[in-house]
Amino acid sequence: MNGISGLRRGLIALGVAAAVALPGSLPAVAAPDTAPAGPPDRATEVGSAELRRNLEAVHEAGMPGIQAAASRNGQTWSGAAGVADTHTDRPMEAGFGHRVGSVTKTFTATAVLRQVSAGRVELDAPIGRYLPELFPGERGERITVRMLLNHTSGIADYFPVIFNSLTRGSLADLERNRFRYHSPEDLITAGMKQPATNKPGQSWSYSNTNYIIAGELLREVTGQSPERYITREIIRPLGLRDTYFPRFNPFIPGPNSKAYEALYHLPDRRGEYSVYSPTALRAAGALISTPTDLNRFYDALLGGELLDESVLAEMRETVAVPNSPTLRYGLGLMRFETPACGTMWGHEGTVPGMATLSLHSADGKRQLSYGLNLTKYQQLDENGLPLVHPIDRRLGTLQVNAVCDVSDAASTASSDSSGVALLADLHRLTR
């Protein structure tokens, strides 16, 4: 697997790295302003009507359900549109538990960087120093902690191995693995047995294996599971009461949505994966959260509450993502470059049937996080790349209105197109 083509092969499996706009069937519209689980959101009415219209437009374009939380200059809003279940028309609601996929990587990278601040881990030290049994020999000497966190290690992704049927347009491997237990060692071995995507440090190639290894690094240096350490050091201190690792539980506790996987309409019908073993994701993508909690987390991270200034600067040191005009990758942190919105930080994530995007301005004044309950809803072109879908256009508008400074209709049109370009870029990467 190498570069973007390798990522396409790997992430078609669960799309764990990204897949920002993704959609499907239609049911009734509901736009509640309440959070059923956990404490109610402190929301203002400033901008809420427009954002509600944007969410309903995403639903009307074909997304079964969407929930979102936005913040501008200290004023916050949360809401939802569409349905959580296409069979019963149960409404989607703000604050439903949502699998956020690779947004988990920012939490894991932050936890590793806290160990860097504590002097227990060196970013440019070879991983073999900390995990000699997993990394004996030359690979353990050449691959550094930094290379794991910014996806330049050259270690292949394990997803194409475990979920190989997805590369052939079949959901069979998703079904086979629905309740299967995967140990960290199993996942790492599956990735390590594949040919390297590149020489260590040479180029960027997205790999979930990197973050399973990062989780084992945390286990080694803290004496705790990565899930427990991240919960103790990050989730609880920030008061993220709707954010947690499900550990071995395939169910999402509390109110939640169904999760519909269309796989680009290649199978005869969609799969539904709201009940799924999290052990295939672990520190790379198993976290459950809400858009409001994600905004709080990124606000704390980018505002310096979780990391020393020098270590946060290391996190923001990015490498190029091949063939991507809008994205660069730091240490578990994506940098999005758009002409209309400027530089934004955050991450995206996709698991079967659920997708998430979290976007934040560097000064923390503009934030948007949203969750979708249908993935890979687009058709593919002759090159096997996702075509732009009406949902993508509506999500682009949502992004613009939430996080871009737009002064007139002309700039809105320009911003909408740049939002769609960002989504198209992410779709290409997650293919």
Side-chain angles (χ1 to χ4, degrees):
M1 204 166 52
N2 55 28
I4 298 307
S5 62
L7 184 57
R8 288 174 188 155
R9 290 198 301 273
L11 291 190
I12 190 173
L14 283 190
V16 122
V20 161
L22 352 194
S25 59
L26 2 166
V29 173
D33 224 32
T34 59
D41 295 313
R42 288 177 295 180
T44 72
E45 288 302 313
V46 177
S48 65
E50 182 178 27
L51 286 170
R52 185 181 288 105
R53 285 195 297 272
N54 292 160
L55 294 183
E56 292 179 354
V58 173
H59 166 61
E60 290 164 3
M63 177 59 59
I66 177 172
Q67 59 167 312
S71 176
R72 288 182 72 110
N73 301 317
Q75 296 175 319
T76 64
W77 177 89
S78 65
V83 299
D85 187 325
T86 60
H87 293 294
T88 67
D89 285 354
R90 174 168 57 92
M92 176 72 90
E93 296 189 35
F96 272 10
H98 189 80
R99 300 186 194 275
V100 299
S102 283
V103 176
T104 307
K105 289 179 173 65
T106 311
F107 285 76
T108 300
T110 301
V112 171
L113 291 171
R114 286 176 70 85
Q115 290 298 298
V116 171
S117 292
R120 299 187 188 96
V121 173
E122 293 181 24
L123 271 175
D124 294 309
I127 189 61
R129 176 189 299 179
Y130 306 104
L131 299 171
E133 294 184 3
L134 273 176
F135 287 91
E138 183 181 2
R139 241 179 172 182
E141 295 171 359
R142 297 188 62 192
I143 294 172
T144 67
V145 175
R146 185 190 300 273
M147 292 175 192
L148 295 173
L149 298 183
N150 67 10
H151 294 300
T152 61
S153 71
I155 298 171
D157 196 348
Y158 61 82
F159 270 92
V161 179
I162 296 174
F163 300 99
N164 187 260
S165 76
L166 297 177
T167 67
R168 304 187 303 274
S170 167
L171 298 172
D173 284 344
L174 282 186
E175 294 297 336
R176 272 193 287 270
N177 286 276
R178 186 187 288 271
F179 297 110
R180 183 170 295 174
Y181 174 85
H182 298 274
S183 72
E185 293 77 16
D186 292 340
L187 302 178
I188 292 169
T189 298
M192 294 281 285
K193 282 185 174 179
Q194 304 309 303
T197 59
N198 51 265
K199 293 180 180 179
Q202 184 182 61
S203 63
W204 184 90
S205 181
Y206 189 91
S207 174
N208 291 288
T209 315
N210 289 325
Y211 274 77
I212 303 299
I213 297 167
E216 293 310 287
L217 170 62
L218 283 172
R219 190 189 306 274
E220 178 66 24
V221 298
T222 69
Q224 303 174 60
S225 70
E227 295 88 353
R228 179 171 294 181
Y229 178 76
I230 292 168
T231 299
R232 191 193 76 185
E233 291 291 311
I234 298 172
I235 295 172
R236 286 179 182 165
L238 292 180
L240 306 181
R241 286 179 281 181
D242 296 315
T243 300
Y244 52 92
F245 285 95
R247 300 303 301 270
F248 310 128
N249 184 0
F251 298 93
I252 301 174
N256 62 85
S257 170
K258 298 291 187 181
Y260 301 104
E261 174 59 66
L263 194 60
Y264 306 113
H265 306 277
L266 298 175
D268 292 335
R269 57 184 178 183
R270 298 172 182 167
E272 197 285 294
Y273 299 104
S274 56
V275 177
Y276 208 86
S277 170
T279 62
L281 301 169
R282 295 185 174 270
L287 203 65
I288 293 172
S289 189
T290 65
T292 297
D293 270 11
L294 292 182
N295 283 353
R296 169 61 184 134
F297 165 69
Y298 279 103
D299 180 57
L301 174 64
L302 299 173
E305 292 182 43
L306 297 173
L307 297 173
D308 298 337
E309 184 177 343
S310 61
V311 178
L312 182 58
E314 296 275 12
M315 192 180 206
R316 286 171 137 165
E317 281 293 320
T318 60
V319 296
V321 173
N323 303 316
S324 173
T326 61
L327 304 177
R328 291 182 65 87
Y329 204 92
L331 304 184
L333 194 61
M334 282 184 161
R335 192 177 87 186
F336 306 89
E337 294 291 348
T338 64
C341 303
T343 300
M344 305 295 293
W345 296 91
H347 215 288
E348 46 60 48
T350 300
V351 297
M354 287 187 175
T356 306
L357 179 63
S358 200
L359 287 172
H360 311 270
S361 61
D363 61 9
K365 293 182 178 179
R366 292 171 288 142
Q367 294 185 291
L368 171 68
S369 294
Y370 62 73
L372 310 172
N373 65 358
L374 173 65
T375 51
K376 299 185 178 69
Y377 51 85
Q378 304 95 333
Q379 299 283 348
L380 299 178
D381 66 15
E382 64 275 10
N383 298 312
L385 296 175
L387 294 165
V388 174
H389 190 281
I391 292 170
D392 299 327
R393 301 186 190 283
R394 298 297 178 263
L395 288 171
T397 301
L398 169 65
Q399 291 172 209
V400 168
N401 289 341
V403 298
C404 298
D405 290 317
V406 182
S407 57
D408 54 44
S411 61
T412 298
S414 171
S415 298
D416 285 353
S417 63
S418 69
V420 170
L422 185 152
L423 293 174
D425 210 9
L426 286 169
H427 289 321
R428 283 193 294 272
L429 294 183
T430 54
R431 178 68 178 89

